[in-house]
Amino acid sequence: NYYPHWTLRNLWMLSRYVPARNLQIEFLNLWRNADKYPGDDPLAPGKIPFAYAFAVAMMAQPLAWFEGTGLPEEAFEIAPLLAVWREHAGRYHAGTTLPVGDEPDGVSWTGFQSLIGETEGYLLVLRELSPEDSTKLATWFDPGARVRLRRLAGAGADSEGEVDASGRLPVSLPTPFSFCLYSYTVES
């Protein structure tokens, strides 16, 4: 009964009240127990990329809830993502991490923003099983701010955008169950 979007929702809801850096958030061996989920369940763990499952937990303290010896070889393809996480986690944990986007429900656009200072920080954008390849993500930026995003890991690309009057920033990701960790600077 493990669903990555349930774990994501727990972190997303708690991060308003408890620093995300203080929470251990699990990610599991997605290949295990595949027979326990209906074959037509689009949110079943076995249908979600392993890197995405790790990304769900990366703004907290990721807890690998499995034996590494039980993973298939393809699981180790997340090594570059782990390297980026090791390089940047201390910095974004030093900031204030808050939820952005919509409440995770398996089909939304969601994520986290780590506010380092007035003009810099990190943004983790997660596209769940949403059919849209772009959205305007609710953020903690001031309306009218110009934000420059620099891709650190994931499927996104460097971009620049203006925050609308309701605090939303345009973002895009190419496929469902994709993510991007950005560092950002605010230019105005």
Side-chain angles (χ1 to χ4, degrees), residues 5-163:
H5 71 276
W6 289 352
T7 297
L8 175 57
R9 183 182 179 277
N10 288 342
L11 177 58
W12 195 88
M13 298 293 281
L14 286 169
S15 66
R16 291 179 187 265
Y17 309 104
V18 178
R21 68 181 168 268
N22 293 350
L23 300 170
Q24 284 189 326
I25 300 297
E26 77 279 358
F27 68 107
L28 276 63
N29 177 344
L30 304 179
W31 295 271
R32 192 166 175 211
N33 297 323
D35 60 327
K36 306 284 190 229
Y37 299 88
D40 61 348
D41 184 351
L43 301 175
K47 296 188 177 161
I48 295 172
F50 193 52
Y52 181 90
F54 175 78
V56 162
M58 73 188 301
M59 294 304 273
Q61 300 295 328
L63 174 62
W65 197 253
F66 52 80
E67 294 177 2
T69 57
L71 292 174
E73 193 62 35
E74 68 184 281
F76 299 97
E77 294 172 3
I78 72 165
L81 175 59
L82 295 176
V84 171
W85 171 74
R86 281 189 201 105
E87 180 182 349
H88 293 275
R91 183 152 163 72
Y92 64 68
H93 283 157
T96 301
T97 300
L98 297 168
V100 297
D102 296 324
E103 180 179 324
D105 60 5
V107 296
S108 66
W109 282 80
T110 189
F112 300 93
Q113 182 176 347
S114 175
L115 303 143
I116 304 295
E118 295 283 322
T119 61
E120 62 182 312
Y122 290 85
L123 184 66
L124 174 63
V125 178
L126 295 143
R127 176 183 172 186
E128 295 185 297
L129 190 59
S130 172
E132 292 86 26
D133 61 1
S134 64
T135 193
K136 288 192 169 188
L137 193 73
T139 65
W140 297 93
F141 297 119
D142 291 332
R146 288 236 21 106
V147 179
R148 180 170 295 183
L149 300 174
R150 185 173 67 90
R151 178 193 168 278
L152 301 174
D158 291 357
S159 66
E160 192 173 319
E162 186 170 330
V163 179

